[in-house]
Short mmCIF file of all heavy atoms in Angstrom, two decimals:
data_model
loop_
_atom_site.label_atom_id
_atom_site.label_comp_id
_atom_site.label_asym_id
_atom_site.label_seq_id
_atom_site.Cartn_x
_atom_site.Cartn_y
_atom_site.Cartn_z
N PRO A 17 1.23 -10.44 2.68
CA PRO A 17 1.35 -9.08 2.15
C PRO A 17 0.40 -8.13 2.88
O PRO A 17 -0.21 -7.28 2.26
CB PRO A 17 0.98 -9.24 0.68
CG PRO A 17 0.85 -10.70 0.43
CD PRO A 17 0.55 -11.34 1.74
N GLY A 18 0.25 -8.25 4.14
CA GLY A 18 -0.53 -7.33 4.95
C GLY A 18 -1.86 -7.90 5.41
O GLY A 18 -2.47 -8.67 4.67
N GLY A 69 -9.52 5.42 7.23
CA GLY A 69 -10.14 4.28 6.54
C GLY A 69 -9.01 3.39 6.06
O GLY A 69 -7.84 3.78 6.14
N THR A 70 -9.30 2.23 5.53
CA THR A 70 -8.22 1.35 5.06
C THR A 70 -7.63 1.93 3.77
O THR A 70 -8.08 2.97 3.28
CB THR A 70 -8.73 -0.08 4.83
OG1 THR A 70 -9.59 -0.08 3.69
CG2 THR A 70 -9.46 -0.62 6.05
N SER A 71 -6.65 1.26 3.21
CA SER A 71 -5.91 1.84 2.08
C SER A 71 -6.81 2.27 0.93
O SER A 71 -6.56 3.27 0.26
CB SER A 71 -4.89 0.84 1.56
OG SER A 71 -4.11 0.37 2.64
N ARG A 72 -7.87 1.51 0.71
CA ARG A 72 -8.71 1.89 -0.43
C ARG A 72 -9.42 3.21 -0.17
O ARG A 72 -9.94 3.82 -1.10
CB ARG A 72 -9.68 0.77 -0.80
CG ARG A 72 -10.80 0.56 0.19
CD ARG A 72 -11.57 -0.68 -0.16
NE ARG A 72 -10.68 -1.85 -0.16
CZ ARG A 72 -10.90 -2.94 -0.88
NH1 ARG A 72 -11.94 -3.03 -1.65
NH2 ARG A 72 -10.05 -3.95 -0.83
N SER A 73 -9.45 3.68 1.07
CA SER A 73 -10.06 4.99 1.31
C SER A 73 -9.19 6.09 0.69
O SER A 73 -9.71 7.11 0.24
CB SER A 73 -10.26 5.23 2.81
OG SER A 73 -9.03 5.49 3.46
N ILE A 75 -7.45 5.63 -2.06
CA ILE A 75 -7.73 5.51 -3.50
C ILE A 75 -9.06 6.19 -3.81
O ILE A 75 -9.20 6.99 -4.73
CB ILE A 75 -7.79 4.03 -3.92
CG1 ILE A 75 -6.47 3.31 -3.62
CG2 ILE A 75 -8.16 3.91 -5.40
CD1 ILE A 75 -6.50 1.80 -3.86
N ARG A 96 -5.24 -8.02 -9.36
CA ARG A 96 -6.48 -7.71 -8.66
C ARG A 96 -6.67 -6.22 -8.40
O ARG A 96 -7.78 -5.70 -8.50
CB ARG A 96 -6.47 -8.46 -7.32
CG ARG A 96 -7.72 -8.20 -6.55
CD ARG A 96 -7.52 -8.25 -5.06
NE ARG A 96 -8.65 -7.58 -4.43
CZ ARG A 96 -8.98 -7.73 -3.16
NH1 ARG A 96 -8.27 -8.52 -2.40
NH2 ARG A 96 -9.99 -7.09 -2.67
N PHE A 97 -5.61 -5.53 -8.01
CA PHE A 97 -5.80 -4.16 -7.58
C PHE A 97 -6.01 -3.18 -8.74
O PHE A 97 -6.53 -2.09 -8.54
CB PHE A 97 -4.70 -3.75 -6.60
CG PHE A 97 -4.87 -4.47 -5.29
CD1 PHE A 97 -4.02 -5.51 -4.92
CD2 PHE A 97 -5.93 -4.17 -4.46
CE1 PHE A 97 -4.21 -6.21 -3.73
CE2 PHE A 97 -6.14 -4.86 -3.26
CZ PHE A 97 -5.28 -5.87 -2.90
N LEU A 100 -9.58 -3.17 -8.88
CA LEU A 100 -10.16 -2.31 -7.82
C LEU A 100 -10.18 -0.85 -8.29
O LEU A 100 -11.19 -0.15 -8.12
CB LEU A 100 -9.37 -2.46 -6.52
CG LEU A 100 -9.83 -1.54 -5.38
CD1 LEU A 100 -11.25 -1.89 -4.92
CD2 LEU A 100 -8.88 -1.61 -4.18
N VAL A 143 -1.44 0.82 -10.61
CA VAL A 143 -0.88 0.21 -9.40
C VAL A 143 0.64 0.14 -9.54
O VAL A 143 1.15 -0.17 -10.62
CB VAL A 143 -1.46 -1.21 -9.20
CG1 VAL A 143 -0.78 -1.92 -8.04
CG2 VAL A 143 -2.97 -1.15 -8.98
N HIS A 144 1.36 0.44 -8.47
CA HIS A 144 2.82 0.31 -8.49
C HIS A 144 3.22 -1.12 -8.10
O HIS A 144 3.79 -1.83 -8.90
CB HIS A 144 3.45 1.35 -7.55
CG HIS A 144 4.94 1.36 -7.56
ND1 HIS A 144 5.69 1.52 -6.43
CD2 HIS A 144 5.81 1.21 -8.58
CE1 HIS A 144 6.98 1.48 -6.75
NE2 HIS A 144 7.08 1.30 -8.05
N GLY A 145 2.87 -1.52 -6.88
CA GLY A 145 3.19 -2.89 -6.45
C GLY A 145 1.92 -3.72 -6.39
O GLY A 145 1.05 -3.45 -5.57
N GLU A 146 1.80 -4.71 -7.27
CA GLU A 146 0.58 -5.54 -7.34
C GLU A 146 0.79 -6.72 -6.40
O GLU A 146 1.47 -7.69 -6.74
CB GLU A 146 0.41 -5.98 -8.78
CG GLU A 146 -0.90 -6.32 -9.38
CD GLU A 146 -2.22 -6.01 -8.72
OE1 GLU A 146 -2.47 -6.63 -7.67
OE2 GLU A 146 -3.02 -5.25 -9.26
N THR A 147 0.23 -6.63 -5.20
CA THR A 147 0.44 -7.69 -4.22
C THR A 147 -0.20 -9.02 -4.63
O THR A 147 0.22 -10.07 -4.19
CB THR A 147 -0.12 -7.27 -2.84
OG1 THR A 147 -1.19 -6.37 -3.05
CG2 THR A 147 0.93 -6.62 -2.00
N SER A 148 -1.22 -8.99 -5.50
CA SER A 148 -1.88 -10.24 -5.88
C SER A 148 -0.99 -11.12 -6.74
O SER A 148 -1.12 -12.33 -6.72
CB SER A 148 -3.20 -9.94 -6.61
OG SER A 148 -2.96 -9.26 -7.82
N ASP A 172 -1.38 3.86 -7.09
CA ASP A 172 -1.60 3.05 -5.89
C ASP A 172 -0.25 2.45 -5.47
O ASP A 172 0.23 1.50 -6.08
CB ASP A 172 -2.62 1.94 -6.21
CG ASP A 172 -2.73 0.89 -5.09
OD1 ASP A 172 -1.92 0.92 -4.15
OD2 ASP A 172 -3.63 0.03 -5.19
N ALA A 173 0.36 3.08 -4.46
CA ALA A 173 1.64 2.58 -3.93
C ALA A 173 1.41 2.02 -2.52
O ALA A 173 2.30 2.09 -1.67
CB ALA A 173 2.67 3.69 -3.93
N VAL A 174 0.23 1.47 -2.31
CA VAL A 174 -0.16 0.96 -0.99
C VAL A 174 0.86 -0.08 -0.49
O VAL A 174 1.27 -0.07 0.68
CB VAL A 174 -1.57 0.33 -1.06
CG1 VAL A 174 -1.90 -0.45 0.20
CG2 VAL A 174 -2.62 1.41 -1.30
N ALA A 175 1.27 -0.96 -1.39
CA ALA A 175 2.14 -2.07 -0.98
C ALA A 175 3.61 -1.66 -0.93
O ALA A 175 4.41 -2.28 -0.23
CB ALA A 175 1.97 -3.23 -1.94
N GLN A 197 -0.77 -0.83 6.66
CA GLN A 197 -0.61 -2.19 7.22
C GLN A 197 0.37 -3.03 6.44
O GLN A 197 0.48 -4.22 6.66
CB GLN A 197 -1.98 -2.88 7.30
CG GLN A 197 -2.55 -3.44 6.02
CD GLN A 197 -3.38 -2.44 5.23
OE1 GLN A 197 -3.09 -1.26 5.23
NE2 GLN A 197 -4.40 -2.91 4.53
N LYS A 198 1.06 -2.41 5.47
CA LYS A 198 2.05 -3.17 4.69
C LYS A 198 3.44 -2.74 5.16
O LYS A 198 3.76 -2.94 6.31
CB LYS A 198 1.78 -2.95 3.21
CG LYS A 198 0.26 -3.04 2.92
CD LYS A 198 -0.18 -3.94 1.85
CE LYS A 198 -1.69 -4.12 1.95
NZ LYS A 198 -2.32 -4.60 0.75
N SER A 204 -3.98 -1.54 10.13
CA SER A 204 -4.85 -1.10 9.06
C SER A 204 -5.84 -0.08 9.62
O SER A 204 -6.28 -0.20 10.77
CB SER A 204 -5.60 -2.32 8.53
OG SER A 204 -6.57 -1.93 7.62
N GLY A 205 -6.19 0.93 8.82
CA GLY A 205 -7.18 1.91 9.29
C GLY A 205 -6.88 3.33 8.89
O GLY A 205 -7.61 4.25 9.25
N MET A 206 -5.79 3.53 8.14
CA MET A 206 -5.49 4.86 7.59
C MET A 206 -4.82 4.67 6.25
O MET A 206 -4.25 3.62 5.98
CB MET A 206 -4.51 5.61 8.50
CG MET A 206 -5.19 6.54 9.45
SD MET A 206 -3.99 7.63 10.20
CE MET A 206 -5.11 8.67 11.10
N MET A 365 7.48 -7.71 4.82
CA MET A 365 7.15 -6.28 4.85
C MET A 365 7.42 -5.68 6.22
O MET A 365 7.02 -6.25 7.25
CB MET A 365 5.67 -6.08 4.54
CG MET A 365 5.27 -6.43 3.12
SD MET A 365 3.49 -6.15 2.88
CE MET A 365 3.42 -6.07 1.09
C1 LIG B 1 -3.59 -4.07 0.23
C2 LIG B 1 -3.77 -3.31 -1.00
C3 LIG B 1 -4.88 -2.47 -1.24
C4 LIG B 1 -6.13 -2.42 -0.37
O1 LIG B 1 -5.96 -2.10 0.90
P1 LIG B 1 -7.13 -2.14 2.00
O2 LIG B 1 -6.40 -1.64 3.19
O3 LIG B 1 -7.52 -3.57 2.14
O4 LIG B 1 -8.23 -1.26 1.58
C5 LIG B 1 -4.89 -1.71 -2.39
N1 LIG B 1 -3.90 -1.78 -3.28
C6 LIG B 1 -2.84 -2.60 -3.11
C7 LIG B 1 -1.78 -2.64 -4.15
C8 LIG B 1 -2.74 -3.38 -1.97
O5 LIG B 1 -1.67 -4.20 -1.82
#
Side-chain angles (χ1 to χ4, degrees):
T70 70
S71 309
R72 71 189 58 207
S73 74
I75 301 174
R96 181 211 162 162
F97 290 106
L100 176 65
V143 174
H144 184 220
E146 207 13 293
T147 28
S148 64
D172 170 351
V174 169
Q197 78 271 34
K198 316 232 167 161
S204 173
M206 263 193 174
M365 292 180 161

